Amino acid sequence: MRFRGLYPDCTDVEIDAEIRALDLRERSADGRPYTVANFVTSLDGRASVQGRSGALGDDGDKALFHALRGAVDAVLVGTRTLAAERYGRIISDPELRERRRAEGAAPEPLTAVLTRSGRLPLEIPLFAEPEARVVVFAPGALELGDTAAHVEVVQLAQDALDFRHALAHLRTGYDVRACLCEGGPTVLSRLLHERSVDELFLTLAPKLVGGGLAPALTTGAALPELAGAELAGVLEHAGTLFLRYRRRI
Ligand SMILES: NC(=O)c1ccc[n+]([C@@H]2O[C@H](COP(=O)([O-])OP(=O)(O)OC[C@H]3O[C@@H](n4cnc5c(N)ncnc54)[C@H](OP(=O)(O)O)[C@@H]3O)[C@@H](O)[C@H]2O)c1
């Protein structure tokens, strides 16, 4: 799908090629994967409508979402997002899986989840998918029932049960060089607190939710100090803006 380039270059781009050209895997450093977050918000900063984000996005948002999935080794997602969005397999397009395989990557990114309670939404399609690979970071062994997906539980001690340790483990234990955080706001907030987000892909949907009940992009306690970000790119498609920010250290 073609997007209009607005910054830094005013040339049209094909979104899949544009994301591939970023070479996210080559950016991994500091013993953890290069970690990008992808979120959509309304103009008034809301991250979901009636508990889901789908109504905010459009075809362009979906194209970016899939292009990013195609370019990473793992998708990090919160248990509530897994449940709310009823996750299935990460890459459903067989051609894309084949392309990844031909390039020496796993056909699909791992799904990575961190749970302190051990409560996973095992009823969602992802866990019934025999080809899905899921890594769950948890404080102890989990009862997984008869899931068809390949699920590995990595036990982390209570004082190491955070995203920083989980990301380091993904890098060393699973050779994950690029990780995509797909939310939700709780996970993004924890990652920001732990200084583990390298880039934010922020889709600004030309829609207004109104009111103050729908969640925002982040939640919980504010960061100890404002975190700066550097604008890395702006694309447009059908009135939606696709912003890309690098976190400034
Ligand atoms: N606009 C967007 O782009 C976008 C993207 C994704 C999701 N969403 C929306 O966001 C909503 C879900 O987001 P959410 O914020 O409620 O949940 P979430 O971020 O998906 O998941 C939260 C879960 O993460 C686990 N967790 C791990 N470490 C944690 C820590 N240190 N502190 C707190 N929790 C921790 C907790 O599970 P345990 O209790 O098991 O530890 C917690 O329940 C849905 O409505 C979804 O549609 C929007």
Side-chain angles (χ1 to χ4, degrees), residues 38-140:
N38 181 34
F39 278 74
V40 59
T41 74
S42 62
L43 292 180
D44 47 351
R46 300 296 156 187
S48 59
V49 182
Q50 289 166 358
R52 297 186 64 165
S53 60
L56 293 174
D58 60 8
D59 288 352
D61 176 53
K62 283 199 193 80
L64 173 66
F65 179 87
H66 291 296
L68 283 168
R69 283 185 167 193
V72 298
D73 303 309
V75 169
L76 176 65
V77 60
T79 48
R80 286 201 292 261
T81 296
L82 276 179
E85 308 289 346
R86 290 195 57 78
Y87 267 50
R89 70 186 302 171
I90 297 297
I91 295 183
S92 52
D93 176 359
E95 264 180 45
L96 181 49
R97 289 202 298 268
E98 196 41 57
R99 187 182 81 191
R100 285 174 56 101
R101 202 181 271 119
E103 290 173 352
E108 289 184 65
L110 286 172
T111 303
V113 182
L114 192 159
T115 174
R116 299 156 311 161
S117 70
R119 282 192 296 276
L120 296 174
L122 294 174
E123 71 288 357
I124 61 173
L126 178 73
F127 290 105
E129 172 53 58
E131 289 182 54
R133 294 177 311 138
V134 185
V135 179
V136 182
F137 297 93

Side-chain angles (χ1 to χ4, degrees), residues 159-215:
D159 62 352
L161 193 58
D162 56 33
F163 289 99
R164 206 164 46 81
H165 283 90
L167 286 169
H169 198 91
L170 287 173
R171 180 72 191 90
T172 54
Y174 294 89
D175 196 24
V176 171
R177 288 178 290 149
C179 180
L180 168 65
C181 171
E182 291 188 341
T186 305
V187 171
L188 177 62
S189 299
R190 290 315 313 157
L191 287 171
L192 290 172
H193 274 275
E194 295 176 20
R195 304 187 67 78
S196 296
V197 180
D198 296 299
E199 292 192 15
L200 175 64
F201 286 80
L202 182 63
T203 296
L204 193 57
K207 297 172 185 171
L208 290 150
V209 175
L213 294 180

